[in-house]
Amino acid sequence: GAVVSQHPSWVICKSGTSVKIECRSLDFQATTMFWYRQFPKQSLMLMATSNEGSKATYEQGVEKDKFLINHASLTLSTLTVTSAHPEDSSFYICSARGTSANNEQFFGPGTRLTVL
Amino acid sequence: DAKTTQPPSMDCAEGRAANLPCNHSTISGNEYVYWYRQIHSQGPQYIIHGLKNNETNEMASLIITEDRKSSTLILPHATLRDTAVYYCIVRVYNQGGKLIFGQGTELSVKP
């Protein structure tokens, strides 16, 4: 199957700093990428959907100014957590989908963010 | 909100078939049923999907009832590595095909 990578796999930062997480589709062009977050013992929650070259669409309750998403190319999307606080500590997972809305989504391995 | 209902947990003996049920009574005619699984602290892994016919691949079989209101994922010979949370998801086409996860079933395969 298609491969999606994330970098870094884990990060620890101080409260108030910003953290950038990268999501790459390694062997296919991803016209759409999705960002999820997952708290311990909970399911994945969709944060936003991004299409290459356009602004991301955020789910209700997700602060677009806090979670900045950029999808500048067909193989790269970034999520920046701005002014991170301890409550932003979570497992962030991206997924990517190819050129058709019917294509399967392939998920990255996730990034563990810990804010001190 | 997720449109599926799954039991929160199940056990299965190693080497036996694992049958994971899912109810999706409000599924629309053009919505597919997808199954993913998530092993602890990893990203979800695609397993299989179907519309109305039964499907089989190298990982599992998917049985969808004739009225499409429920389905069963079958792992024919469960191994310890199949221990994971299994998510049954109805694909929402008119919202860009995004996947909305419910709570899933935590499958424990025991020796």
Side-chain angles (χ1 to χ4, degrees):
Chain A
V3 179
V4 176
S5 70
Q6 283 184 240
H7 178 80
S9 55
W10 60 270
V11 57
I12 301 172
C13 71
K14 293 182 178 180
S15 185
T17 61
S18 295
V19 175
K20 180 183 285 188
I21 302 171
E22 291 186 350
C23 176
R24 293 181 185 273
S25 57
L26 298 186
D27 51 3
F28 69 103
Q29 292 185 326
T31 53
T32 306
M33 287 186 172
F34 305 85
W35 287 94
Y36 295 79
R37 67 189 297 184
Q38 185 176 33
F39 293 108
K41 301 291 187 182
Q42 295 187 22
S43 184
L44 286 77
M45 185 196 79
L46 179 64
M47 300 174 67
T49 302
S50 72
N51 292 297
E52 185 264 337
S54 60
K55 290 184 178 180
T57 301
Y58 290 80
E59 296 297 306
Q60 190 173 8
V62 178
E63 300 175 60
K64 61 179 68 176
D65 293 332
K66 181 167 185 63
F67 299 100
L68 302 179
I69 292 172
N70 183 277
H71 191 168
S73 78
L74 286 172
T75 59
L76 173 65
S77 176
T78 60
L79 167 68
T80 301
V81 183
T82 63
S83 187
H85 291 284
E87 57 265 31
D88 298 323
S89 298
S90 188
F91 194 49
Y92 291 87
I93 306 169
C94 75
S95 71
R97 189 180 69 207
T99 56
S100 167
N102 297 341
N103 285 356
E104 287 78 17
Q105 281 180 230
F106 297 96
F107 286 80
T111 296
R112 176 76 59 193
L113 170 63
T114 302
V115 185
L116 302 177
Chain B
D1 292 337
K3 297 172 63 174
T4 63
T5 304
Q6 298 176 252
S9 64
M10 292 182 65
D11 290 340
C12 177
E14 187 178 19
R16 304 295 294 271
N19 297 283
L20 293 92
C22 179
N23 287 320
H24 32 79
S25 59
T26 60
I27 191 170
S28 298
N30 61 348
E31 290 179 321
Y32 284 67
V33 179
Y34 279 74
W35 284 83
Y36 281 78
R37 72 180 183 184
Q38 185 180 28
I39 296 171
H40 182 63
S41 294
Q42 297 182 24
Q45 176 190 21
Y46 166 79
I47 301 174
I48 199 167
H49 74 280
L51 182 62
K52 52 184 177 181
N53 296 323
N54 296 339
E55 302 288 344
T56 295
N57 63 19
E58 64 277 4
M59 289 183 68
S61 295
L62 174 60
I63 309 298
I64 302 175
T65 58
E66 193 169 337
D67 62 7
R68 301 212 320 126
K69 293 185 177 182
S70 65
S71 61
T72 301
L73 178 73
I74 301 172
L75 307 178
H77 306 286
T79 70
L80 299 179
R81 288 180 295 180
D82 292 320
T83 293
V85 179
Y86 287 77
Y87 294 99
C88 168
I89 304 167
V90 169
R91 189 76 174 270
V92 185
Y93 273 87
N94 63 353
Q95 294 182 23
K98 57 188 177 183
L99 295 170
I100 305 298
F101 286 76
Q103 294 306 306
T105 295
E106 186 169 8
L107 175 69
S108 296
V109 181
K110 300 180 183 300

